[in-house]
Amino acid sequence: MDVSSSSASAPVRLFHADHVLPGDRPAIADGAVVVDGSGRIVDVGPAADVRPRHAGPVVERVRGIVFPGLINAHTHVELSSMRGKVPGGSGFVPWVDRLVTTRSETLADEEAEAAELGVEELVKAGTVAAGDVTNSLACVGALARRGIGGSIFHEVLGMDRAVVLRRIEGLRAEVEERVPSWPSVDLAYAPAPHALFTLHPDAARALLESAERRGVRTSLHLAEHPAERRAVEQGEGPVPDWYERRLKQRPEWPRRPLFDLAADVGALRAGVVLVHLADARPDELARIASSGASVVLCPRSNLYIEGRLPPFLAVREAGIEAALGTDSLASNTSLDVLGEARALADRFPNVPKWELFQMATWNGARALGRADLGRLTRGAKPGLFVVEGEVTGDAVAFLLGNLRAPRRVLVPRIS
């Protein structure tokens, strides 16, 4: 959207709210936010400080909580037709086996309709950017039409080296065929290796090196479940058995420590978004922390599939400021990233609630390389939302305790 003409005439707006959640620091009780006509934050802080600095705008009094647009840093919107169809609780391999079967039986029209509804669900949740992982690129248009920015991670899988390297060479043509005109510069594009147990190491290395050369962020599922480690390190367990049963092949894995392989292919560096880490160990988390790689946790998905949370406290102790993602509706009940914050709040009551909100906003924005989103700070254009109501106690606790409360747009994110 070209805002050059409209922003010149649009008025500056001053919102005085009961509570303001900046996204990158604790809540401000009796706070105020000033936004210019282009959606850019001009000022934020306690109302007693902000209001005297801005005598011109009419004050819009908000009874409730004002906050920046949310960032869902890892999702698979194209799997939205799988909602409620893929049982969990028995581990990753039984889950993915059922997912592959069910998806193969799903009509294209059904997938497309469900994906549109998935995007609508993101919008209703107050999501302004996503790290969307896709096989088909089917949701690119829908995300762009609804104004959701972020990153499209075009997923690559395959253990046959020659076959998968040819696929990588043909990705540009694949994109041009499926999305002839890329809809928005606000949606970055990058091919992404799925995981080290589903992609030949040479292909993973090629994708990660290409992303680094082009200066784009990419994504990798890592240490999502114990079966991944067992396959990569020992060549045993349910993953190779699944390959043999379903695909009539038994790939050869490097049989090296999982995180040594991750380092070797170039995954432990800034610009790579590492997702899940549910099976990561403290020494491995320390390696990630020193590498500069970003981390996204998907607690509800991990609970659904494996019945276990990621090692959240160990992640914090390692100094990692993780983001949050919902994963897909094949392993979750909603695409509301605040549901992930709620899941952690319920299980880790001693962690400050504002930190959990930061994971769903500013940490996600950083993971996707979007310094303009995720926080209320001067110069940012994160979108402004409100949940109205009488708030008692901690503002984030109120927000997480009322996930079904409508989230109204005060100021849209204007790209």
Side-chain angles (χ1 to χ4, degrees):
M1 176 179 178
D2 182 1
V3 300
S4 56
S5 58
S6 61
S7 64
S9 58
V12 172
R13 304 175 70 184
L14 192 160
F15 300 96
H16 179 177
D18 295 340
H19 296 270
V20 172
L21 299 180
D24 61 350
R25 56 193 187 278
I28 304 168
D30 195 34
V33 185
V34 182
V35 183
D36 71 14
S38 71
R40 183 173 283 106
I41 304 297
V42 175
D43 202 356
V44 62
D49 297 335
V50 172
R51 289 186 59 170
R53 294 197 290 261
H54 304 274
V58 174
V59 176
E60 300 179 47
R61 190 67 174 91
V62 180
R63 297 297 180 182
I65 305 171
V66 169
F67 55 94
L70 305 177
I71 314 296
N72 191 334
H74 180 79
T75 190
H76 301 252
V77 180
E78 68 185 30
L79 296 180
S80 295
S81 63
M82 299 293 102
R83 187 198 295 264
K85 297 180 180 178
V86 187
S90 299
F92 181 84
V93 171
W95 173 83
V96 80
D97 189 62
R98 181 65 175 174
L99 170 64
V100 171
T101 299
T102 305
R103 194 177 185 193
S104 70
E105 298 169 348
T106 303
L107 298 176
D109 288 349
E110 182 183 347
E111 277 208 347
E113 181 180 358
E116 290 280 354
L117 293 174
V119 173
E120 178 65 21
E121 186 169 329
L122 289 173
V123 171
K124 287 183 177 179
T127 312
V128 298
D132 191 49
V133 180
T134 176
N135 304 126
S136 66
L137 301 173
C139 295
V140 173
L143 290 166
R145 285 192 299 274
R146 297 311 307 273
I148 295 180
S151 297
I152 300 296
F153 298 122
H154 195 181
E155 191 171 70
V156 178
L157 304 90
M159 292 299 294
D160 185 308
R161 182 181 184 278
V163 170
V164 76
L165 288 176
R166 281 198 301 273
R167 167 129 196 270
I168 291 172
E169 291 177 359
L171 283 176
R172 180 184 295 274
E174 192 174 317
V175 173
E176 291 174 353
E177 177 184 353
R178 296 181 180 180
V179 190
S181 178
W182 196 259
S184 171
V185 294
D186 203 44
L187 275 173
Y189 168 85
H194 171 255
L196 297 180
F197 73 101
T198 59
L199 183 64
H200 193 281
D202 289 348
R205 186 179 297 107
L207 291 168
L208 292 162
E209 289 177 351
S210 174
E212 186 173 26
R213 285 195 306 271
R214 294 186 292 120
V216 297
R217 290 170 181 262
T218 190
S219 171
L220 175 74
H221 299 73
L222 182 63
E224 184 174 358
H225 48 84
E228 173 184 359
R229 185 186 300 274
R230 190 174 173 190
V232 169
E233 296 186 354
Q234 302 168 16
E236 300 174 350
V239 168
D241 292 347
W242 181 84
Y243 268 96
E244 192 166 41
R245 182 178 70 256
R246 179 171 276 275
L247 303 177
K248 311 305 180 188
Q249 58 178 265
R250 196 174 183 91
E252 285 294 322
W253 285 273
R255 303 198 182 196
R256 297 178 55 198
L258 179 62
F259 278 74
D260 286 355
L261 178 60
D264 181 60
V265 299
L268 301 188
R269 64 165 179 83
V272 180
V273 181
L274 304 177
V275 184
H276 290 301
L277 300 175
D279 191 48
R281 300 163 180 170
D283 61 311
E284 296 165 340
L285 294 172
R287 292 180 71 174
I288 293 171
S290 64
S291 75
S294 299
V295 168
V296 180
L297 304 181
C298 305
R300 288 191 295 164
S301 177
N302 299 148
L303 281 170
Y304 184 85
I305 295 173
E306 291 275 338
R308 61 187 293 184
L309 283 169
F312 176 52
L313 295 182
V315 169
R316 290 179 77 242
E317 288 168 6
I320 296 170
E321 294 188 341
L324 291 173
T326 58
D327 213 295
S328 78
L329 291 175
S331 62
N332 212 331
T333 56
S334 80
L335 298 180
D336 180 3
V337 73
L338 287 186
E340 309 306 315
R342 168 70 178 270
L344 295 177
D346 288 346
R347 292 161 177 82
F348 303 100
N350 293 328
V351 175
K353 302 293 187 293
W354 71 267
E355 285 190 24
L356 303 177
F357 184 75
Q358 178 175 302
M359 295 174 74
T361 50
W362 176 228
N363 290 1
R366 285 188 289 176
L368 299 181
R370 294 299 301 266
D372 58 321
L373 302 178
R375 60 177 176 165
L376 304 180
T377 191
R378 292 180 185 181
K381 299 173 70 172
L384 207 62
F385 293 77
V386 60
V387 167
E388 293 165 317
E390 184 177 350
V391 180
T392 57
D394 185 280
V396 179
F398 179 89
L399 195 62
L400 298 183
N402 293 274
L403 292 181
R404 294 187 179 182
R407 299 170 196 174
R408 182 166 63 86
V409 181
L410 287 178
V411 178
R413 182 189 67 86
I414 307 172
S415 60

